[in-house]
Amino acid sequence: LGDVYKRQGYNGVLCSIALGNKNLKSLVWTSCSVLLSVVLQIIGMNLEITTLTAPFVISVWVIMGIQKLMILQQYTKRF
């Protein structure tokens, strides 16, 4: 069981590098991305799929997509 958790670490670190910044909002988005990548890694391991960096890529894409949607929503409310 300990080895399972060791293999999940690098995707979370990659998420932090990709989305991290020096403000609180960035911390929230990065935490969501790390959590999502861990969940995707666990699902992949349970399905016996070699995931490599797929959880990182998918979670960052999802979080960045949500961020873009929120920006679009704020922009359209102004007009």
Side-chain angles (χ1 to χ4, degrees), residues 13 16-17 22 46 63 68 73 79:
V13 171
S16 297
I17 292 170
K22 294 182 180 180
N46 286 336
I63 296 300
K68 296 288 182 186
Q73 189 178 33
F79 296 105

Side-chain angles (χ1 to χ4, degrees), residues 51-67:
T51 57
L52 301 176
T53 59
F56 153 69
V57 173
I58 293 169
S59 66
V60 169
W61 282 359
V62 167
I63 296 300
M64 290 179 74
I66 293 170
Q67 288 175 334

